[in-house]
Amino acid sequence: TTDWNTGSNWSDGVVPSTSCPTVKVPVVAINKYPILSTGPVATITNLQIDAGASVTITGNTIQIAGTITNSGIFDVTNGTVELNGTATQNIDGKTFNNTIPGENNTVENLIISNNVNVANTPGDTLNITGTLSFGTGTAQLQTGNNITLKSSATATASVGVIGSSNAIIGDITVERYSAAINNWQFLAIPTQTTQTINAAWQEG
């Protein structure tokens, strides 16, 4: 089947863990590829997805302590990735490519439990639709000025609690969905106030 947590679906008959240096997902003739949905969280070191293959995380979490090499499809639009290595980990938007139009380079929830660098690669913006959070009190995130918190009619992405020893270094683009009424909408600040736009809308 496609169930990640069924041992017989894997070549060695064992559900992947950190005891396997690299979980490799190649192209297979039966065209069934791992889906992590029900069952326990997946905890691995390195993930390699070959061209033509795929991994889908939906309603569950995959913890990755090493590298992600994705030449196929890594769909986390309805799931969570936690980066929890000990050495600095590097990602970019195209790490999370999928087949959903308009949702490439998108992850729902990203948990930073290590020092993580996001590459500043034009066209590879990392889009987050759920929550960007820290899993440990010392983890730090270098954004590469290349992360966008998405906003839609149904939900707006957010940032979780930032501990005193956590840090987000670099810019993050924050979207705010605004419904069009008769094809346009007027936005303004209160006119009877001493606050500036910077103070009222940009938190100073």
Side-chain angles (χ1 to χ4, degrees):
T1 69
T2 60
D3 181 25
W4 177 289
N5 284 310
T6 297
S8 58
N9 289 332
W10 298 93
S11 61
D12 60 357
V14 178
V15 175
S17 68
T18 53
S19 64
C20 173
T22 299
V23 177
K24 180 179 178 180
V25 182
V27 172
V28 292
I30 60 173
N31 203 33
K32 290 181 183 290
Y33 296 101
I35 298 175
L36 177 64
S37 55
T38 58
V41 167
T43 302
I44 64 173
T45 303
N46 302 311
L47 176 63
Q48 176 184 328
I49 305 171
D50 289 352
S54 70
V55 171
T56 301
I57 315 298
T58 178
N60 208 331
T61 300
I62 185 168
Q63 297 174 323
I64 300 174
T67 61
I68 304 171
T69 306
N70 177 26
S71 299
I73 295 170
F74 189 25
D75 186 351
V76 200
T77 52
N78 293 299
T80 301
V81 171
E82 179 176 3
L83 300 174
N84 65 345
T86 54
T88 298
Q89 292 172 269
N90 299 296
I91 57 172
D92 56 24
K94 68 177 181 295
T95 300
F96 305 102
N97 279 350
N98 56 66
T99 59
I100 303 172
E103 293 193 9
N104 256 346
N105 302 357
T106 298
V107 58
E108 182 178 18
N109 304 309
L110 181 62
I111 302 174
I112 306 297
S113 297
N114 181 28
N115 293 336
V116 175
N117 294 329
V118 178
N120 186 0
T121 307
D124 284 336
T125 299
L126 173 57
N127 300 308
I128 298 172
T129 59
T131 303
L132 169 63
S133 61
F134 289 98
T136 65
T138 57
Q140 297 192 352
L141 171 65
Q142 294 267 2
T143 72
N145 302 332
N146 210 25
I147 293 178
T148 296
L149 299 181
K150 303 296 288 184
S151 182
S152 68
T154 57
T156 296
S158 62
V159 176
V161 174
I162 302 175
S164 59
S165 296
N166 294 133
I168 296 177
I169 303 163
D171 295 339
I172 293 180
T173 299
V174 180
E175 293 184 349
R176 188 67 182 98
Y177 177 83
S178 180
I181 301 173
N182 296 325
N183 297 322
W184 68 278
Q185 187 163 355
F186 180 74
L187 300 176
I189 61 167
T191 56
Q192 299 298 317
T193 180
T194 58
Q195 279 189 314
T196 63
I197 292 175
N198 179 261
W201 283 16
Q202 299 175 289
E203 299 178 358

